[in-house]
Amino acid sequence: MISEINVSSQERYQLIDITDEVEKIVKESGVKDGLVLLFVPHSTAGILLTENEKSLKEDWLDFLKKLVSGFDFQHNRIDDNADSHLLSGFIGQERILPLKGGQIIRGTWQQIFLLELDGPRKRKIIVKIIKD
Ligand code: ZN
């Protein structure tokens, strides 16, 4: 089965916790064991697993901004978001998580985030559950 989560970002760079929405879809699917594929059909966003702690989220966004600062990107001459595309590819536009006994296996400090890199925008996260 396939579902989608829709979110609206407010900032250019932003982390949006989608853990509850993903877990709700998994629960409603009734699938107990398998894989959960998360995918963003966007080239300026990503999926990231990290701790939902305010200062760590700020650290992530500061770190990512610094990674792409100081370059003269060619894409910025036609569309001012080369940084967004590069970080999206770098972080990744998909994640696969194991599902066991109806629960996604993840660490206590592994929440699931949409990483917005060119907001504010409306974003879609595709959730595909693959049964064992
Ligand atoms: Zn672009």
Side-chain angles (χ1 to χ4, degrees), residues 10-132:
Q10 291 82 42
E11 307 293 332
R12 184 149 195 275
Y13 279 34
Q14 188 179 357
L15 280 163
I16 299 175
D17 193 331
I18 57 166
T19 311
D20 290 349
E21 288 91 336
V22 173
E23 291 189 335
K24 184 167 175 269
I25 288 168
V26 168
K27 194 177 174 191
E28 286 171 0
S29 76
V31 177
K32 299 295 175 203
D33 300 290
L35 295 171
V36 179
L37 166 67
L38 305 172
F39 173 71
V40 281
H42 305 292
S43 81
T44 56
I47 302 279
L48 178 68
L49 271 71
T50 194
E51 181 181 355
N52 191 351
E53 192 276 317
K54 192 174 180 296
S55 51
L56 181 63
K57 288 190 287 181
E58 286 171 13
D59 288 340
W60 261 112
L61 300 179
D62 286 348
F63 171 66
L64 292 171
K65 280 173 205 165
K66 281 179 185 147
L67 276 182
V68 289
S69 68
F71 292 93
D72 178 22
F73 294 125
Q74 295 185 55
H75 182 67
N76 286 347
R77 290 168 205 153
I78 56 155
D79 187 14
D80 194 21
N81 64 355
D83 59 320
S84 318
H85 290 291
L86 291 165
L87 290 173
S88 169
F90 184 71
I91 292 294
Q93 297 160 357
E94 79 298 312
R95 288 289 189 276
I96 300 171
L97 308 176
L99 179 62
K100 188 181 175 196
Q103 300 282 325
I104 291 172
I105 300 175
R106 60 180 180 87
T108 309
W109 312 119
Q110 273 181 317
Q111 278 75 46
I112 307 162
F113 289 88
L114 169 82
L115 174 63
E116 174 60 78
L117 296 161
D118 195 22
R121 282 174 191 261
K122 289 190 190 312
R123 297 297 196 177
K124 186 182 289 185
I125 302 103
I126 304 296
V127 183
K128 170 75 182 165
I129 302 174
I130 304 151
K131 200 174 169 182
D132 266 358

